[in-house]
Amino acid sequence: MSLAGKVAIVTGSGRGLGLSYAQELARRGASVVVNDVDAEAAADAVAAVEAVGGRAVPVVAPVGPTETATELVNAAVDRFGRLDVLVTNAGVLRDTVLWKMSDDDFDTVVTVHLRGTFTTAREAVRHMRQAGEGGRIICIGSPTGQRGNFGQTNYAAAKAGIVGMVRTWALELARAGITANAVVPVAATAMTATVPYFAAAVRAEANGEPMPQFFRQQLGFGTADDAAGLVAFLSSDAAAAVTGQVIGVGGDRLQIWTHPEAALTAHREGGWTYDALCQEWPSTFAAAAQSVGERFPDLPGEFRPATS
């Protein structure tokens, strides 16, 4: 199903996953507003979109401020006459453990990821509702927002918040024919290139070699382009009934993440007092306690990083 005639904004699309999303949308016929804080990266992204036969216009600005959101929507409407799709991909990292994390570390990540998603979605939705032709909001999440990750308090909070907003927006926007979904990609990018566990996969991709099947199949870890098809699908008329979903994609794997549900429910007449919990927790509740963080299988020997 073609995206011909549709117009999309992709934040953080100067490189990496965002650029792959922009190019795939263009291949399917959409015109694209690309965005980056680096003017050269934004210009290169425009050229990359045009190289696959698409049309693009750059907006060089950091997401987060309302002014940037307005500029992005205005660019879409002024240059291409409409707005159908918003992909909120822009992000930064400021990783450190809780007791070392500064206010600036926290605020910077939350501003770009969470506030940036909010402000751009709000501005896009205002236009889409007024236009009356529906639309697509696609927000980029992370496994860290689903399960947590050591040293990423700020990033985990922002990505978990994005999922909460998406589920809320799916309810609020349904009558306007606007869908809202979150995509959770796992791919070889600048953010994963420094993780030793993924070194063999990142090296293969950098060398233009096929990524080993262990990564693509068992880990659902692939290239940025592997995640782009899902973004294009969610942008299309074929996905008109898909909303409020959190969908993981990477390598050869696609996953639909569950909405949080109670893992165990128990009742006690008179309520759960301190003494009752001390007595009952080990036998009734401990086995249902949920794991945290990602748990990866042991790397096969040929993919293990060399040790000095």
Side-chain angles (χ1 to χ4, degrees):
M1 189 170 288
S2 173
L3 299 180
K6 296 188 182 296
V7 178
I9 296 168
V10 184
T11 68
S13 48
R15 53 179 64 85
L17 282 162
L19 178 56
S20 288
Y21 303 151
Q23 287 183 294
E24 181 63 12
L25 291 168
R27 287 189 190 96
R28 302 297 166 187
S31 301
V32 185
V33 177
V34 301
N35 159 253
D36 203 278
V37 293
D38 182 330
E40 184 177 354
D44 289 345
V46 169
V49 168
E50 291 174 344
V52 297
R55 298 192 302 162
V57 61
V59 170
V60 180
V63 299
T66 295
E67 293 77 11
T68 298
T70 301
E71 186 178 358
L72 287 164
V73 172
N74 286 345
V77 177
D78 292 347
R79 180 64 180 271
F80 302 120
R82 57 185 297 122
L83 175 61
D84 304 280
V85 179
L86 169 66
V87 183
T88 62
N89 172 75
V92 295
L93 292 178
R94 296 288 188 274
D95 293 355
T96 190
V97 291
L98 172 61
W99 55 95
K100 294 182 180 180
M101 185 170 289
S102 68
D103 290 356
D104 185 64
D105 290 333
F106 185 85
D107 291 344
T108 296
V109 170
V110 170
T111 294
V112 175
H113 288 275
L114 189 61
R115 182 182 174 85
T117 295
F118 161 70
T119 55
T120 52
R122 180 180 61 185
E123 197 70 19
V125 162
R126 285 172 174 170
H127 176 81
M128 290 173 180
R129 292 183 74 251
Q130 186 174 23
E133 297 182 17
R136 304 284 182 266
I137 306 297
I138 302 166
C139 302
I140 306 303
S142 167
T144 296
Q146 302 296 101
R147 301 189 58 86
N149 192 35
F150 189 95
Q152 291 194 313
T153 292
N154 43 14
Y155 187 68
K159 290 302 191 183
I162 286 170
V163 169
M165 292 195 301
V166 160
R167 289 175 172 149
T168 300
W169 296 341
L171 298 171
E172 295 177 345
L173 301 175
R175 289 184 63 183
I178 303 169
T179 65
N181 293 286
V183 169
V184 177
V186 182
T189 66
M191 290 186 181
T192 54
T194 59
V195 181
Y197 186 90
F198 299 119
V202 172
R203 185 167 56 249
E205 203 240 353
N207 293 336
E209 301 168 356
M211 195 169 287
Q213 285 301 102
F214 170 80
F215 293 95
R216 294 189 61 84
Q217 290 278 339
Q218 291 182 249
L219 295 180
F221 183 91
T223 67
D225 288 345
D226 288 321
L230 174 60
V231 170
F233 167 73
L234 292 173
S235 301
S236 74
D237 293 343
V242 182
T243 194
Q245 301 305 302
V246 181
I247 308 173
V249 63
D252 298 332
R253 187 177 73 185
L254 192 77
Q255 297 176 309
I256 296 181
W257 286 84
T258 61
H259 292 229
E261 299 284 352
L264 174 66
T265 300
H267 300 87
R268 182 179 183 275
E269 188 174 349
W272 289 98
T273 64
Y274 170 84
D275 290 334
L277 285 165
C278 288
Q279 179 180 346
E280 295 293 332
W281 187 271
S283 58
T284 303
F285 299 101
Q290 303 297 287
S291 64
V292 294
E294 289 281 333
R295 294 187 176 183
F296 298 122
D298 290 338
L299 282 171
E302 67 266 33
F303 302 134
R304 291 176 189 165
T307 57
S308 55

